[in-house]
Each structure stands twice: as structure tokens, then as C-alpha cells.
Amino acid sequence: MKEKFNNLPVKKNEEKNRYELDVDGHIAFIDYKETNSTVALIHTEAPAELAGSGAASALVEKTLNLIKESGKTVSPYCPYVFAFIKKHPEWKELVSPRFPKYDEL
């Protein structure tokens, strides 16, 4: 994660069912659905103003940290999150073994 994102918090917006990262007034977010044991990450989006800045990657890493701290597992249905975990295999331990593409990570 780029240093400029280190001190920016990710907010869990329960009204909109998404994790949000505010970067200079621009909101990058990940839509989620949650059960008692797992958080399904459905869709990641960053505004055009943040393209190429590393904001989406920082959002994913910070979101995974929050989920890890909650003691839940993750189901990375979002292709961006799936690719992030595949690229950073240290996060695979957080993925639910019941996730359909678990063996592809």
C-alpha cells in the first residue's frame, strides 16, 4: 500500500452495505453482504479521479484487515478483490474454504 493511504481510515457504511475509503473527497468503495461468519465482497469501485493512484488496492487491503480483526472469513466474489488475494497469497488464510473458487487462489 502506498504511504499516502496509511492514515486514511476505511469506514464500514452499514446503511449502504459498503466499505468506504475517502481520498481527498473522492469515495472508493466495496459493496458487501455479511453473515454471522463471512463477509462476501461483491463489487469494488473507485471514481475516475482516483484511477491509477493505488486507492482501490489500499481499500481492499484495509477492508481485509477490518474483516480479519472481526474474526470473520471473506468470500471474494468481486473480481478485483479475488485478483488482489491471488496476487497477495498471505490473505488466502482469510478466505472461507466454502468459497466456490477457493482452490483457484
Side-chain angles (χ1 to χ4, degrees):
M1 176 181 350
K2 292 184 179 177
E3 194 174 318
K4 68 180 182 178
F5 300 113
N6 285 346
N7 294 323
L8 295 179
V10 165
K11 175 186 171 196
K12 185 177 181 184
N13 184 333
E14 294 186 23
E15 272 184 29
K16 294 184 177 181
N17 287 329
R18 65 189 202 178
Y19 291 93
E20 300 173 336
L21 180 65
D22 185 332
V23 181
D24 300 325
H26 303 289
I27 307 292
F29 64 88
I30 302 175
D31 292 324
Y32 73 88
K33 291 185 181 177
E34 189 171 17
T35 67
N36 289 333
S37 61
T38 303
V39 179
L41 300 177
I42 311 297
H43 172 74
T44 302
E45 193 169 314
E49 294 85 355
L50 299 177
S53 70
S57 179
L59 169 63
V60 171
E61 187 172 342
K62 288 173 172 282
T63 298
L64 292 174
N65 272 315
L66 283 179
I67 294 168
K68 186 176 184 177
E69 289 170 10
S70 76
K72 295 186 177 195
T73 59
V74 68
S75 291
Y77 288 99
C78 167
Y80 186 85
V81 176
F82 184 88
F84 181 91
I85 293 171
K86 193 168 186 164
K87 185 176 179 182
H88 303 277
E90 65 272 20
W91 288 107
K92 185 176 178 180
E93 68 183 19
L94 191 60
V95 177
S96 169
R98 294 188 311 258
F99 175 66
K101 293 185 175 183
Y102 181 85
D103 291 335
E104 295 177 31
L105 289 170

